[in-house]
Amino acid sequence: MNIYILGLATLHTLAAVGGEPPHRASADAPADTVPVTLEEAVAAARAAGPGVLPAHAAAEAASAQLRVATSPLLPSAGLEAGWMRTDDPVGAFGTRMRQGRFTQSDFDPARLNHPDAIDDITVGLGIRWSALDLSSFARRRAAALAGDAAELDAAWAERYAAFSAEVRYLEAVGAARLLDAARTAEEAARANLARIQRRVEEGLLTEAEALRARAEAERAAWARTEAERTVADARARLALAMGWEEGRIPVPVGRDVEAVPEPASGAAPGATPSAEPSLGTRPDLEASALRAEAARAEADAAARGRLPRVETFARTDAHTPDGTSPEWSWTLGVAVRVPLFTGFRLSGARQAASAAAEAAARAHDERLRAARTELESARRAVEAARRAVDAAQAADAAAQEAARLYRRRFEEGLATTADLLAAEAAAARAAAERVRAELGLRTALATLRFLGGDA
């Protein structure tokens, strides 16, 4: 999952997905859109985002499995009731004795060999308890650890869903910015086409230059269409990340990536995460450690399989032929069971459990190493993203000023059509790169918080 997270965050910095002015949908938005803030998107994802509900269901199943593992350590009781009719000599003889109806005539050999059919109504209550079963104690501990790990998995699923929703939200805001830039570029291209067309009509420029300007205007229109599609796609992905049903489209409020407040996390909005984010509060790593410990407990249980097991039991029964005047009896006992040979079942189970414990321990170590590597990579990504934002903002400011100057020079006849179109294209690219850089920084910060374990 962690490798996927880094890949997801990297791809997201290149994606564009929508946003709108505060608390109202744009005029071109469909009627079923719903304005949402980042806090609302994160809260919805935590409640019902992808993977959250299954993780909570798995935690409930693990909790129930703990009760199953606890049951051998508790007394078990059972109530029985039944009716029987038989003329089997042994059954009839024993039934008469249990009912307390034996008489001297019942010793007649003819009646012993060929008894009349006899009815018996039985009611019984039995209690059994494994007073000493060390393997069951170990299995219960393993189940408890697995249950705790499942709870942590559910917590991690919530956090991952929240992180995904935050990234999708930022993508949506960034896409709206890119759509704005595409519309601005299209307007500039149309304005340039009009300027150049007037010059052609005045005989100052050639038709070839007008055709080139028209091509640039059509390219800008195509880019704007693609940006609109990207906005729609991104909103749909945000709805999926929030766990919304089909037909509802979230529209992020606000269009400024840098101005979008971060979800509550105990840190000031927009602030850099703690200088040394820690892996110690990562639920997925805590769950991994608990599963390794649970595997060791299972191995311990398998090793205790050869130890003696002490069981106690008690039972009381009532027998009557017609439901009246029952004859009661009781039984108490203690049993010690020691497995001597089980067809190599115990030795095989012990070897399998030991190997599983070793595998779980090694897998946990690998997860820790991978998490540390990912965290360091996320730190470097944040620093690189900061530098990229500084460069992109400076480049955008320079490109916009250059485009303004070339438009002025073109009106004064001091710049060629090629110069003007090139400057406008460079301004459009710079504006888009600035949006992507700002989105990349916010995504990198979110990834660092997520991988560092900040809640």
Side-chain angles (χ1 to χ4, degrees):
M1 178 182 290
N2 293 335
I3 295 174
Y4 169 73
I5 292 167
L6 288 179
L8 179 68
T10 302
L11 291 175
H12 286 171
T13 62
L14 302 178
V17 213
E20 294 298 331
H23 297 290
R24 67 181 182 87
S26 65
D28 59 348
D32 55 355
T33 56
V34 181
V36 294
T37 65
L38 180 56
E39 292 281 1
E40 292 169 342
V42 168
R46 282 185 176 275
V52 172
L53 297 182
H56 281 289
E60 292 180 7
S63 177
Q65 192 61 39
L66 174 59
R67 294 194 294 272
V68 173
T70 303
S71 62
L73 303 176
L74 301 175
S76 61
L79 180 64
E80 299 176 8
W83 170 83
M84 178 187 71
R85 180 177 177 82
T86 182
D87 66 352
D88 175 72
V90 176
F93 186 88
T95 298
R96 287 184 181 277
M97 293 188 67
R98 284 191 291 268
Q99 293 177 352
R101 299 171 54 203
F102 228 97
T103 64
Q104 185 65 35
S105 62
D106 292 320
F107 284 97
D108 181 3
R111 295 190 64 181
L112 288 173
N113 290 323
H114 303 286
D116 296 332
I118 185 172
D119 294 307
D120 185 37
I121 298 175
T122 305
V123 177
L125 174 64
I127 299 176
R128 183 176 294 273
W129 178 40
S130 295
L132 181 62
D133 187 354
L134 297 179
S135 62
S136 292
F137 281 102
R139 290 192 182 91
R140 185 192 182 283
R141 181 170 179 270
L145 291 169
D148 292 342
E151 291 289 344
L152 289 168
D153 284 339
W156 179 248
E158 288 186 10
R159 284 180 47 173
Y160 181 73
F163 165 72
S164 298
E166 181 179 0
V167 171
R168 295 300 188 189
Y169 189 97
L170 292 173
E171 286 179 349
V173 175
R177 289 277 305 281
L178 289 174
L179 178 57
D180 288 344
R183 286 171 173 168
T184 300
E186 182 183 13
E187 292 172 1
R190 296 293 181 190
N192 288 335
L193 176 60
R195 292 189 188 96
I196 293 171
Q197 191 65 48
R198 286 196 304 270
R199 293 294 183 87
V200 171
E201 293 171 357
E202 294 170 358
L204 301 176
L205 295 176
T206 66
E207 186 64 30
E209 290 172 299
L211 290 174
R212 181 174 180 180
R214 184 176 299 279
E216 288 296 321
E218 294 302 325
R219 187 202 62 77
W222 171 83
R224 184 257 308 156
T225 300
E226 284 296 298
E228 291 173 343
R229 177 187 63 80
T230 303
V231 166
D233 289 346
R235 290 176 180 174
R237 287 193 291 268
L238 176 57
L240 180 63
M242 294 171 62
W244 278 12
E245 67 276 9
E246 294 184 9
R248 294 184 68 200
I249 303 299
V251 179
V253 298
R255 287 180 182 266
D256 190 348
V257 173
E258 292 186 314
V260 173
E262 297 180 10
S265 62
T272 306
S274 58
E276 291 295 331
S278 171
L279 297 174
T281 57
R282 290 247 315 242
D284 62 325
L285 299 180
E286 293 179 3
S288 176
L290 288 177
R291 286 200 169 86
E293 191 174 352
R296 289 193 295 270
E298 289 286 359
D300 190 26
R304 296 179 180 184
R306 292 194 179 278
L307 297 178
R309 187 171 71 249
V310 179
E311 295 181 358
T312 62
F313 55 90
R315 183 177 181 86
T316 181
D317 296 278
H319 295 269
T320 177
D322 53 11
T324 62
S325 302
E327 187 72 17
W328 290 89
S329 60
W330 57 267
T331 304
L332 293 174
V334 177
V336 178
R337 304 181 187 278
V338 181
L340 298 179
F341 180 70
T342 60
F344 304 106
R345 177 180 62 83
L346 290 178
S347 60
R350 182 175 181 178
Q351 291 175 358
S354 297
E358 178 67 18
R362 291 184 179 276
H364 176 60
D365 290 341
E366 290 178 0
R367 291 188 188 98
L368 285 177
R369 290 197 298 271
R372 294 190 188 100
T373 300
E374 290 162 0
L375 183 56
E376 291 302 320
S377 177
R379 288 196 185 101
R380 291 190 292 269
V382 167
E383 295 305 315
R386 289 188 185 282
R387 293 192 294 270
V389 167
D390 292 340
Q393 290 175 343
D396 182 39
Q400 301 307 322
E401 179 63 15
R404 186 188 69 81
L405 293 176
Y406 269 106
R407 283 193 294 271
R408 180 177 176 181
R409 289 172 61 83
F410 181 80
E411 292 291 349
E412 296 172 352
L414 300 177
T416 66
T417 302
D419 293 335
L420 175 62
L421 296 179
E424 294 287 2
R429 287 194 302 271
E433 288 303 320
R434 175 175 179 170
V435 173
R436 292 191 177 95
E438 292 170 352
L439 173 61
L441 176 56
R442 281 297 301 271
T443 302
L445 289 169
T447 303
L448 181 56
R449 289 197 314 273
F450 178 72
L451 295 178
D454 293 337

